[in-house]
């Protein structure tokens, strides 16, 4: 990551952001891998697509985190995965005996990778068992559950982090730094488009199309990346929201959730965000920020890899040359370092709650035919990701 930008960004940063960076640099961690017996143990709850495809492989590469246990409702799958990862038989838990993790000192962090409607219950049970929790996005399916999760973390005096991998991804971070440093001038317009085609024959998508399990369908699953990106790119919070939806009622995929949702956020600086999400358009996770002087384009911007970021001046594109990392390893290392007291929580439960409240404002506007909904309830992010990322490589 270019240090020159980092320094320039520092000059432009808010006083709070600069102070956070100074504090972070003062206690910068050793970036070499810890010995295995000093790594922080993770229990992965739910062994579906993401766990098998990204999280467990990410833990193999992590610097300060390791897989310590698995929790699953499928004993055969759990045994196969545990054996492949070198875990002993007593590191396999079922959903029924999950609360026994309280007595397992190998587990310090529980990573919740279940369908969205199950996040709150399994997060709260882990917190009550005295464990820290990393919970997948969206944090839950409603505001009440998010608040209960935050309260449970406070009551247990444990950390609760939402797995917003783009908060820790070098290209997204560089975009934040450049915008903070004035590289595009004052941001005026931001566009975020996050969606894909949902496939109901895939069990992973079947529950995503069921409002009871998924919440607001594409909005909670994909749109949340755009809601979050507009906030972390601009480093401010929307004060007003309007939204519109279009759903093909004959399409059996959309019996309980909306298909295409588009929204507008108005920010205090005057910037406007046009966001969209859908389970019925060609796969995209893209955003673009138009400033007075230049444009920052990320297309794709939030895929697991292969993201392409460019600075654009009129028709001149300059692609940013930033090395790829394993986003999941990095995010889990960050959580492990937070538990070790070496890094601040950048995406705590409050961040997940803010996105949930904004998504609720979007659906409230939908329900009222696109009426404006005030969202100026005074939320302020505790830590700017761009200000502290130098702590963890
Ligand atoms: P998945 O369907 O592949 O996995 C879910 C797991 O939960 C499965 O192992 C399933 O057996 C288990 N499960 C337990 N009870 C269940 C029930 N009642 N119904 C259905 N499954 C049940 O889903 P996934 O794609 O791995 O997603 C899991 C979570 O991870 C979701 O919250 C999703 O939003 C999140 N996710 C995040 C990212 C990211 O980039 N951060 C990417 C994909 C998914």
């Amino acid at each position: 990551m270019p240090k020159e930008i980092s320094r320039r960004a520092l000059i432009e940063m808010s006083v709070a952001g600069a102070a956070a960076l100074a504090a972070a640099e003062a206690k910068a961690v050793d970036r070499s891998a810890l010995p295995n017996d000093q790594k922080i143990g993770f229990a992965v709850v739910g062994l579906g697509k993401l766990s098998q495809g990204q999280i467990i492989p990410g833990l193999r590469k992590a610097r300060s985190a390791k897989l310590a246990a698995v929790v699953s409702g499928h004993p055969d799958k759990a045994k196969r995965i545990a054996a492949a990862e070198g875990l002993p038989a007593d590191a396999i838990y079922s959903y029924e005996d999950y609360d026994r993790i309280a007595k397992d000192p190998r587990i310090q962090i529980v990573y919740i990778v279940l369908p969205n409607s199950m996040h709150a219950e399994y997060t709260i049970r882990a917190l009550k068992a005295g464990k820290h929790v990393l919970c997948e996005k969206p944090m839950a399916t409603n505001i009440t559950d998010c608040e209960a999760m935050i309260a449970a973390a406070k009551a247990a005096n444990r950390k609760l982090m939402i797995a917003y991998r783009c908060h820790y991804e070098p290209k997204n971070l560089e975009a934040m730094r450049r915008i903070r440093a004035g590289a595009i001038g004052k941001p005026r317009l931001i566009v975020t488009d996050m969606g894909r085609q949902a496939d109901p024959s895939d069990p992973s998508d079947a529950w995503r199309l069921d409002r009871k399990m998924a919440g607001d369908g594409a909005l909670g699953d994909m749109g949340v990346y755009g809601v979050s990106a507009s906030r972390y790119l601009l480093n401010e919070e929307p004060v007003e929201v309007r939204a519109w939806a279009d759903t093909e009622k004959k399409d059996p995929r959309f019996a309980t959730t909306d298909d295409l949702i588009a929204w507008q956020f108005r920010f205090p600086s005057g910037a406007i965000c046009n966001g969209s999400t859908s389970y019925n358009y060609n796969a995209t996770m893209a955003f673009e920020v138009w400033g007075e002087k230049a444009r920052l384009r990320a297309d794709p911007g939030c895929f697991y890899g292969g993201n392409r970021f460019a600075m654009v001046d009129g028709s001149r594109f300059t692609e940013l040359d930033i090395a790829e990392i394993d986003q999941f390893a990095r995010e889990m290392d960050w959580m492990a370092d937070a538990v070790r007291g070496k890094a601040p929580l950048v995406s705590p439960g409050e961040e997940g709650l803010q996105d949930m409240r904004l998504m609720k404002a979007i659906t409230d506007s939908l329900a009222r035919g696109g009426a404006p909904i005030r969202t100026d309830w005074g939320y302020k992010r505790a830590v700017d990701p761009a200000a502290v990322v130098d702590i963890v490589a």
Side-chain angles (χ1 to χ4, degrees):
M1 196 158 306
K3 281 287 168 200
E4 165 233 342
I5 295 296
S6 170
R7 297 293 151 214
R8 214 156 10 103
L10 181 57
I11 294 161
E12 300 281 331
M13 254 171 223
S14 67
V15 173
L21 180 54
E25 286 187 338
K27 55 173 188 172
V29 293
D30 177 3
R31 286 165 188 180
S32 52
L34 291 173
N36 206 44
D37 61 352
Q38 286 176 32
K39 289 183 177 175
I40 303 281
F42 273 66
V44 173
V45 186
L47 299 176
K49 262 191 173 171
L50 186 71
S51 291
Q52 293 190 56
Q54 278 71 40
I55 291 169
I56 293 173
L59 282 166
R60 282 183 220 130
K61 293 181 210 154
R63 180 174 53 73
S64 37
K66 66 179 176 189
L67 183 67
V70 290
V71 182
S72 170
H74 297 94
D76 292 345
K77 180 169 66 176
K79 272 186 208 151
R80 176 175 53 77
I81 292 171
E85 299 302 319
L87 293 182
D90 69 353
I92 301 174
Y93 291 88
S94 68
Y95 297 122
E96 289 71 35
D97 67 8
Y98 176 60
D99 305 295
R100 281 200 306 108
I101 60 171
K103 295 208 166 69
D104 191 336
R106 296 169 297 187
I107 302 168
Q108 284 142 295
I109 299 172
V110 174
Y111 194 164
I112 309 295
V113 203
L114 290 164
N116 309 341
S117 62
M118 300 171 75
H119 290 182
E121 178 192 340
Y122 284 85
T123 292
I124 292 169
R125 282 168 68 181
L127 291 164
K128 284 188 173 158
K131 307 300 177 183
H132 304 280
V133 173
L134 176 57
C135 177
E136 262 307 330
K137 46 55 59 180
M139 181 172 177
T141 54
N142 58 70
I143 291 170
T144 309
D145 279 357
C146 295
E147 288 172 341
M149 293 158 80
I150 292 168
K154 286 210 173 93
N157 193 23
R158 289 293 176 266
K159 295 191 190 301
L160 170 60
M161 169 169 151
I162 308 306
Y164 282 133
R165 57 187 164 77
C166 296
H167 284 67
Y168 309 91
E169 192 276 327
K171 294 179 190 182
N172 277 269
L173 285 160
E174 185 59 18
M176 294 178 222
R177 289 173 196 249
R178 286 186 184 234
I179 293 169
R180 310 274 192 280
I184 63 168
K186 186 179 178 196
R188 303 292 297 127
L189 176 72
I190 173 162
V191 173
T192 67
D193 298 304
M194 309 275 171
R196 63 184 175 83
Q197 285 290 348
D199 173 6
S201 68
D202 178 343
S204 254
D205 272 5
W207 67 257
R208 282 176 162 86
L209 292 163
D210 175 357
R211 181 175 290 275
K212 282 202 300 297
M213 298 207 76
D216 295 312
L219 180 60
D221 187 34
M222 303 291 290
V224 68
Y225 286 94
V227 170
S228 170
S230 61
R231 299 174 43 243
Y232 66 64
L233 290 162
L234 297 181
N235 202 22
E236 55 178 341
E237 301 299 327
V239 291
E240 191 177 59
V241 175
R242 296 164 187 245
W244 299 266
D246 183 68
T247 299
E248 176 49 78
K249 291 290 178 201
K250 286 192 202 126
D251 187 329
R253 293 180 297 176
F254 304 118
T256 64
T257 60
D258 281 309
D259 159 19
L260 174 66
I261 300 178
W263 64 88
Q264 246 174 15
F265 283 155
R266 198 163 57 74
F267 286 88
S269 65
I272 287 176
C273 170
N274 287 330
S276 84
T277 189
S278 177
Y279 271 154
N280 189 21
Y281 64 37
N282 184 251
T284 182
M285 293 188 92
F287 57 77
E288 202 154 358
V289 191
W290 277 258
E292 288 169 331
K293 293 194 301 198
R295 174 157 60 103
L296 193 145
R297 181 177 166 84
D299 188 3
C302 295
F303 283 162
Y304 296 162
N307 294 317
R308 297 183 68 181
F309 281 59
M311 295 293 293
V312 188
D313 183 3
S315 59
R316 194 156 50 85
F317 280 64
T318 310
E319 197 159 328
L320 303 190
D321 181 17
I322 298 169
E324 299 263 333
I325 55 148
D326 183 312
Q327 297 181 34
F328 294 88
R330 182 178 187 131
E331 170 187 271
M332 291 184 284
D333 275 337
W334 190 286
M335 177 69 179
D337 284 339
V339 165
R340 293 165 62 226
K342 304 284 184 188
L345 269 192
V346 171
S347 53
E350 286 77 3
E351 271 293 291
L353 171 61
Q354 170 68 353
D355 286 334
M356 189 63 56
R357 294 184 78 189
L358 290 169
M359 291 191 289
K360 172 75 167 53
I362 288 172
T363 54
D364 283 351
S365 177
L366 292 180
R368 291 168 51 189
I373 306 287
R374 301 291 309 179
T375 57
D376 50 351
W377 42 66
Y379 176 75
K380 183 145 176 39
R381 157 194 313 281
V383 179
D384 177 2
V388 296
V389 73
D390 284 343
I391 315 172
V392 180

